[in-house]
Amino acid sequence: SAVISQKPSRDICQRGTSLTIQCQVDSQVTMMFWYRQQPGQSLTLIATANQGSEATYESGFVIDKFPISRPNLTFSTLTVSNMSPEDSSIYLCSAGLAGGYEQYFGPGTRLTVT
Amino acid sequence: DAKTTQPPSMDCAEGRAANLPCNHSTISGNEYVYWYRQIHSQGPQYIIHGLKNNETNEMASLIITEDRKSSTLILPHATLRDTAVYYCIVRSPHSGNTPLVFGKGTRLSVIA
Protein backbone atom coordinates (compact mmCIF):
# COMPACT_ATOMS: atom_id res chain seq x y z
CA SER A 1 0.00 0.00 0.00
CA ALA A 2 0.96 3.67 -0.16
CA VAL A 3 0.33 6.58 2.17
CA ILE A 4 0.09 10.04 0.64
CA SER A 5 0.41 13.30 2.52
CA GLN A 6 -0.26 16.82 1.30
CA LYS A 7 0.72 20.25 2.54
CA PRO A 8 -0.93 22.60 3.26
CA SER A 9 -4.21 20.99 4.27
CA ARG A 10 -6.01 24.26 3.63
CA ASP A 11 -5.28 27.86 2.77
CA ILE A 12 -7.03 31.13 2.11
CA CYS A 13 -5.35 33.20 -0.57
CA GLN A 14 -5.89 36.53 -2.24
CA ARG A 15 -6.67 36.75 -5.92
CA GLY A 16 -3.66 37.23 -8.15
CA THR A 17 -1.31 35.27 -5.89
CA SER A 18 0.02 31.72 -6.32
CA LEU A 19 0.01 28.70 -4.03
CA THR A 20 2.22 25.64 -4.23
CA ILE A 21 0.82 22.36 -2.92
CA GLN A 22 3.21 19.59 -1.92
CA CYS A 23 2.52 15.88 -2.22
CA GLN A 24 4.66 13.19 -0.58
CA VAL A 25 4.28 9.43 -1.11
CA ASP A 26 5.83 6.89 1.26
CA SER A 27 6.67 4.55 -1.65
CA GLN A 28 8.38 5.07 -4.97
CA VAL A 29 5.79 5.49 -7.71
CA THR A 30 6.13 6.06 -11.42
CA MET A 31 3.10 8.25 -12.01
CA MET A 32 1.47 10.80 -9.76
CA PHE A 33 -1.86 12.41 -10.53
CA TRP A 34 -3.39 15.74 -9.58
CA TYR A 35 -7.15 16.24 -9.34
CA ARG A 36 -9.41 19.20 -8.68
CA GLN A 37 -12.73 18.89 -6.89
CA GLN A 38 -14.91 21.95 -7.11
CA PRO A 39 -17.57 22.48 -4.44
CA GLY A 40 -20.23 19.78 -4.62
CA GLN A 41 -18.66 18.19 -7.70
CA SER A 42 -16.78 15.03 -8.56
CA LEU A 43 -13.03 14.80 -9.09
CA THR A 44 -11.56 16.13 -12.33
CA LEU A 45 -8.09 15.09 -13.46
CA ILE A 46 -5.74 18.03 -13.96
CA ALA A 47 -2.56 16.27 -15.04
CA THR A 48 -0.35 13.22 -14.82
CA ALA A 49 3.20 13.72 -13.57
CA ASN A 50 5.96 11.30 -14.55
CA GLN A 51 9.36 11.63 -12.91
CA GLY A 52 11.91 13.16 -15.24
CA SER A 53 9.51 14.49 -17.85
CA GLU A 54 6.96 17.23 -18.27
CA ALA A 55 3.51 16.63 -16.91
CA THR A 56 0.68 15.71 -19.26
CA TYR A 57 -2.31 18.01 -18.88
CA GLU A 58 -5.96 17.22 -19.48
CA SER A 59 -8.14 19.32 -21.73
CA GLY A 60 -8.97 22.62 -20.06
CA PHE A 61 -5.83 22.73 -17.92
CA VAL A 62 -2.61 24.43 -18.98
CA ILE A 63 0.93 24.45 -17.66
CA ASP A 64 1.07 28.22 -17.20
CA LYS A 65 -1.85 28.09 -14.79
CA PHE A 66 -1.00 24.78 -13.05
CA PRO A 67 2.76 24.17 -13.26
CA ILE A 68 3.78 20.80 -11.83
CA SER A 69 7.15 19.58 -10.66
CA ARG A 70 8.16 15.95 -10.17
CA PRO A 71 11.76 15.94 -8.96
CA ASN A 72 11.85 12.32 -7.75
CA LEU A 73 9.81 9.14 -7.37
CA THR A 74 8.13 10.13 -4.11
CA PHE A 75 7.37 13.84 -4.41
CA SER A 76 5.45 16.29 -6.58
CA THR A 77 4.18 19.85 -6.37
CA LEU A 78 1.25 21.59 -8.02
CA THR A 79 1.19 25.37 -8.22
CA VAL A 80 -2.05 27.24 -8.74
CA SER A 81 -0.97 30.50 -10.38
CA ASN A 82 -2.57 33.92 -10.58
CA MET A 83 -5.51 32.69 -8.57
CA SER A 84 -9.10 33.83 -8.94
CA PRO A 85 -12.16 32.90 -6.85
CA GLU A 86 -13.01 30.26 -9.48
CA ASP A 87 -9.90 28.34 -8.38
CA SER A 88 -11.47 27.73 -4.96
CA SER A 89 -11.53 23.95 -4.81
CA ILE A 90 -10.04 20.92 -3.15
CA TYR A 91 -6.85 19.76 -4.86
CA LEU A 92 -5.96 16.10 -4.44
CA CYS A 93 -2.79 14.19 -5.17
CA SER A 94 -2.91 10.52 -6.09
CA ALA A 95 -0.66 7.64 -7.10
CA GLY A 96 -0.78 3.97 -7.87
CA LEU A 97 1.84 1.28 -7.44
CA ALA A 98 3.14 -0.27 -10.66
CA GLY A 99 1.32 -3.52 -11.35
CA GLY A 100 -1.14 -2.78 -8.57
CA TYR A 101 -4.87 -2.33 -8.82
CA GLU A 102 -5.46 0.34 -6.20
CA GLN A 103 -5.03 4.08 -6.55
CA TYR A 104 -4.22 5.97 -3.38
CA PHE A 105 -5.22 9.51 -2.54
CA GLY A 106 -3.94 12.23 -0.30
CA PRO A 107 -6.32 14.01 2.07
CA GLY A 108 -6.57 17.02 -0.22
CA THR A 109 -5.77 20.72 0.02
CA ARG A 110 -8.78 22.97 0.49
CA LEU A 111 -8.11 26.26 -1.26
CA THR A 112 -10.24 29.35 -0.86
CA VAL A 113 -9.47 32.39 -3.01
CA THR A 114 -10.88 35.72 -1.89
CA ASP B 1 -12.61 3.04 -20.16
CA ALA B 2 -16.31 2.27 -20.28
CA LYS B 3 -18.82 4.81 -19.02
CA THR B 4 -20.86 4.10 -15.88
CA THR B 5 -24.28 5.30 -14.72
CA GLN B 6 -25.25 5.56 -11.05
CA PRO B 7 -28.23 7.05 -9.23
CA PRO B 8 -27.33 10.47 -7.80
CA SER B 9 -28.43 9.70 -4.27
CA MET B 10 -29.76 6.99 -1.97
CA ASP B 11 -30.82 6.68 1.65
CA CYS B 12 -30.34 3.67 3.88
CA ALA B 13 -31.39 2.98 7.46
CA GLU B 14 -28.57 2.28 9.87
CA GLY B 15 -28.03 -1.45 10.33
CA ARG B 16 -29.68 -2.33 7.04
CA ALA B 17 -27.93 -3.43 3.88
CA ALA B 18 -27.11 -0.68 1.41
CA ASN B 19 -27.34 -1.81 -2.20
CA LEU B 20 -25.74 0.61 -4.66
CA PRO B 21 -26.35 -0.11 -8.36
CA CYS B 22 -24.14 0.72 -11.32
CA ASN B 23 -24.75 0.31 -15.04
CA HIS B 24 -21.78 -0.25 -17.35
CA SER B 25 -23.31 -1.63 -20.52
CA THR B 26 -20.27 -0.84 -22.71
CA ILE B 27 -17.75 -2.68 -20.52
CA SER B 28 -15.22 -4.65 -22.53
CA GLY B 29 -13.98 -8.16 -21.85
CA ASN B 30 -10.84 -7.32 -19.89
CA GLU B 31 -12.18 -4.37 -17.90
CA TYR B 32 -12.76 -4.62 -14.18
CA VAL B 33 -15.41 -2.91 -12.07
CA TYR B 34 -13.93 -0.86 -9.23
CA TRP B 35 -15.68 0.87 -6.37
CA TYR B 36 -14.29 3.78 -4.40
CA ARG B 37 -15.89 6.00 -1.84
CA GLN B 38 -15.23 9.51 -0.61
CA ILE B 39 -16.20 10.40 2.89
CA HIS B 40 -16.67 14.12 3.46
CA SER B 41 -13.39 16.07 3.58
CA GLN B 42 -11.27 13.03 2.76
CA GLY B 43 -9.63 11.64 -0.36
CA PRO B 44 -11.32 8.73 -2.16
CA GLN B 45 -10.77 5.27 -0.70
CA TYR B 46 -10.68 1.95 -2.52
CA ILE B 47 -13.43 -0.50 -1.56
CA ILE B 48 -13.44 -3.50 -3.88
CA HIS B 49 -13.07 -4.60 -7.48
CA GLY B 50 -14.06 -7.56 -9.64
CA LEU B 51 -14.09 -8.96 -13.16
CA LYS B 52 -17.05 -11.34 -13.40
CA ASN B 53 -17.28 -13.35 -10.22
CA ASN B 54 -18.85 -11.99 -7.09
CA GLU B 55 -16.31 -10.62 -4.66
CA THR B 56 -16.38 -10.02 -0.91
CA ASN B 57 -13.96 -8.37 1.46
CA GLU B 58 -14.12 -6.91 4.94
CA MET B 59 -15.80 -3.76 3.68
CA ALA B 60 -18.35 -4.88 1.10
CA SER B 61 -19.59 -7.36 -1.46
CA LEU B 62 -19.67 -6.84 -5.21
CA ILE B 63 -22.24 -8.60 -7.33
CA ILE B 64 -21.67 -8.48 -11.10
CA THR B 65 -24.40 -9.69 -13.46
CA GLU B 66 -23.63 -12.56 -15.78
CA ASP B 67 -23.58 -10.29 -18.84
CA ARG B 68 -21.34 -7.87 -16.88
CA LYS B 69 -23.46 -4.90 -17.92
CA SER B 70 -24.31 -3.94 -14.36
CA SER B 71 -23.18 -4.48 -10.81
CA THR B 72 -24.25 -3.83 -7.24
CA LEU B 73 -22.10 -2.85 -4.29
CA ILE B 74 -23.50 -4.17 -1.03
CA LEU B 75 -22.66 -2.77 2.39
CA PRO B 76 -24.20 -5.52 4.54
CA HIS B 77 -24.82 -3.52 7.73
CA ALA B 78 -24.58 0.17 6.97
CA THR B 79 -23.42 2.50 9.74
CA LEU B 80 -23.44 6.28 9.95
CA ARG B 81 -19.75 6.23 9.03
CA ASP B 82 -20.67 4.75 5.64
CA THR B 83 -22.28 8.04 4.63
CA ALA B 84 -20.22 9.04 1.59
CA VAL B 85 -20.18 9.42 -2.18
CA TYR B 86 -19.65 6.05 -3.87
CA TYR B 87 -18.03 5.87 -7.28
CA CYS B 88 -18.29 2.95 -9.68
CA ILE B 89 -15.40 2.95 -12.18
CA VAL B 90 -14.61 0.60 -15.03
CA ARG B 91 -10.98 0.24 -16.04
CA SER B 92 -8.31 -2.13 -17.24
CA PRO B 93 -6.59 -4.29 -14.63
CA HIS B 94 -3.30 -3.47 -12.97
CA SER B 95 -3.37 0.08 -14.28
CA GLY B 96 -1.51 1.71 -11.45
CA ASN B 97 0.14 4.01 -13.98
CA THR B 98 -3.11 5.38 -15.39
CA PRO B 99 -5.43 7.70 -13.49
CA LEU B 100 -8.94 6.93 -12.34
CA VAL B 101 -11.69 8.78 -14.17
CA PHE B 102 -14.54 9.67 -11.84
CA GLY B 103 -18.20 10.03 -12.73
CA LYS B 104 -20.69 11.75 -10.49
CA GLY B 105 -21.18 8.82 -8.13
CA THR B 106 -23.99 8.06 -5.70
CA ARG B 107 -24.34 10.05 -2.50
CA LEU B 108 -25.34 7.52 0.17
CA SER B 109 -26.91 8.88 3.34
CA VAL B 110 -27.16 6.42 6.22
CA ILE B 111 -29.93 7.49 8.55
CA ALA B 112 -30.17 6.65 12.25
Side-chain angles (χ1 to χ4, degrees):
Chain A
S1 66
V3 176
I4 300 178
S5 59
Q6 289 184 232
K7 286 195 290 189
S9 58
R10 59 178 61 224
D11 207 340
I12 301 173
C13 301
Q14 291 192 343
R15 70 172 66 210
T17 63
S18 298
L19 175 72
T20 296
I21 303 167
Q22 299 179 10
C23 177
Q24 181 76 52
V25 188
D26 71 345
S27 303
Q28 293 187 340
V29 294
T30 304
M31 297 294 191
M32 295 178 72
F33 313 111
W34 287 97
Y35 290 84
R36 181 176 73 181
Q37 188 169 31
Q38 294 177 302
Q41 303 297 313
S42 183
L43 286 80
T44 301
L45 181 67
I46 297 172
T48 298
N50 189 4
Q51 192 263 338
S53 63
E54 275 200 7
T56 302
Y57 289 82
E58 297 298 304
S59 176
F61 297 96
V62 294
I63 188 171
D64 290 346
K65 175 68 175 178
F66 298 100
I68 289 172
S69 78
R70 182 76 202 277
N72 58 50
L73 291 174
T74 63
F75 187 79
S76 178
T77 67
L78 169 77
T79 299
V80 186
S81 303
N82 188 24
M83 288 183 285
S84 67
E86 292 71 36
D87 294 319
S88 296
S89 295
I90 298 173
Y91 292 85
L92 296 112
C93 172
S94 177
L97 300 177
Y101 56 80
E102 185 173 346
Q103 191 166 323
Y104 303 91
F105 288 82
T109 296
R110 183 178 295 270
L111 171 63
T112 302
V113 183
T114 60
Chain B
D1 294 339
K3 180 178 171 57
T4 62
T5 304
Q6 298 178 251
S9 64
M10 294 180 64
D11 292 338
C12 177
E14 188 178 22
R16 297 294 193 115
N19 297 282
L20 292 92
C22 179
N23 286 322
H24 32 78
S25 58
T26 61
I27 191 170
S28 63
N30 70 337
E31 289 182 318
Y32 282 65
V33 180
Y34 288 77
W35 284 83
Y36 282 73
R37 74 179 181 184
Q38 186 176 25
I39 295 171
H40 184 63
S41 296
Q42 297 183 22
Q45 172 193 24
Y46 165 84
I47 301 173
I48 198 168
H49 74 288
L51 181 64
K52 57 183 177 180
N53 297 320
N54 298 338
E55 302 288 345
T56 295
N57 63 19
E58 65 278 4
M59 289 182 68
S61 294
L62 174 60
I63 309 297
I64 302 174
T65 58
E66 192 168 343
D67 64 6
R68 303 209 323 122
K69 292 184 177 182
S70 65
S71 60
T72 301
L73 178 75
I74 301 173
L75 308 178
H77 305 286
T79 71
L80 298 178
R81 288 176 294 181
D82 292 320
T83 292
V85 179
Y86 288 77
Y87 296 98
C88 170
I89 299 169
V90 170
R91 70 191 310 227
S92 299
H94 304 299
S95 29
N97 286 335
T98 59
L100 289 169
V101 177
F102 289 84
K104 296 183 179 180
T106 296
R107 183 174 298 276
L108 175 68
S109 298
V110 180
I111 303 167

